[in-house]
Amino acid sequence: MSVAGKVNYRYLMIIVLILTAGFALLLAGCGQAENSAPEQVRVLSREDVIAVFADQGLSLQTGEEVPGSIFQLELNGLKPQVYSMDGVELSLYLFASAEERAAGWEEFGEQTAAADLIPFKAYQEGAILMFYIHGESAAEGQKWNEQLDKRLKAGIRGMIAAE
């Protein structure tokens, strides 16, 4: 093989390597774009949420927003929907994804780390974070029981199914 043939062969190999590397980067970039696309989540209206909980025998009404309430904080850029159930506050966050919900829960922990919180129960499933704020200690006779817990969990599953 002549010197000119060896030089052309080297250039050809360099071009092939560059094209192969570019193609590999293109494929890797396409895969990341598909994985990072935001999930399409249907936002449930207040009426939808009330209907889902009514299916579980729970009567929700639109609650009162209380400025400065620890359970109505903006979490991960989202304000909650506030409900009342037999005088007990429910704060419902409908995030776009489970990852955003987890970030919201972490932010709640950071914002309330030094707070002396009243009794509450947090529910987390999928993109949903819900606080049931019963606000009574065990000594005062909690409004909390297993049957209510099961109904609230079923309500959350119903909201996920309705999305």
Side-chain angles (χ1 to χ4, degrees):
M1 190 177 259
S2 69
V3 173
K6 288 182 183 179
V7 171
N8 286 338
Y9 180 73
R10 284 185 184 160
Y11 285 125
L12 181 61
M13 290 305 294
I14 290 171
I15 290 171
V16 168
L17 286 172
I18 290 171
L19 289 174
T20 303
F23 185 68
L25 289 173
L26 179 67
L27 287 177
C30 290
Q32 289 176 353
E34 288 175 13
N35 291 338
S36 64
E39 298 175 23
Q40 295 296 321
V41 176
R42 179 176 160 241
V43 177
L44 297 175
S45 70
R46 288 188 177 277
E47 293 77 20
D48 291 337
V49 171
I50 290 170
V52 167
F53 279 91
D55 290 344
Q56 300 305 317
L58 299 172
S59 177
L60 265 60
Q61 297 84 32
T62 299
E64 182 180 326
E65 292 185 24
V66 179
S69 169
I70 288 178
F71 297 102
Q72 296 180 19
L73 294 171
E74 183 174 308
L75 299 177
N76 199 20
L78 183 67
K79 295 285 285 176
Q81 293 180 8
V82 181
Y83 298 93
S84 176
M85 183 177 67
D86 298 326
V88 177
E89 180 184 338
L90 278 167
S91 292
L92 178 65
Y93 294 84
L94 301 171
F95 291 99
S97 67
E99 292 78 20
E100 287 185 25
R101 187 248 324 133
W105 175 248
E106 185 175 325
E107 185 176 345
F108 177 79
E110 291 168 1
Q111 290 187 29
T112 62
D116 185 20
L117 301 176
I118 60 174
F120 72 97
K121 172 82 173 165
Y123 294 89
Q124 299 183 65
E125 190 161 335
I128 297 173
L129 171 61
M130 184 175 76
F131 295 110
Y132 174 85
I133 303 96
H134 48 90
E136 295 184 7
S137 68
E140 296 170 330
Q142 292 183 355
K143 293 182 181 178
W144 189 250
N145 62 56
E146 283 187 42
Q147 184 63 19
L148 177 59
D149 185 55
K150 288 178 185 178
R151 287 178 166 176
L152 290 170
K153 288 177 181 176
I156 290 174
R157 286 191 300 273
M159 284 189 291
I160 290 171
E163 291 182 336

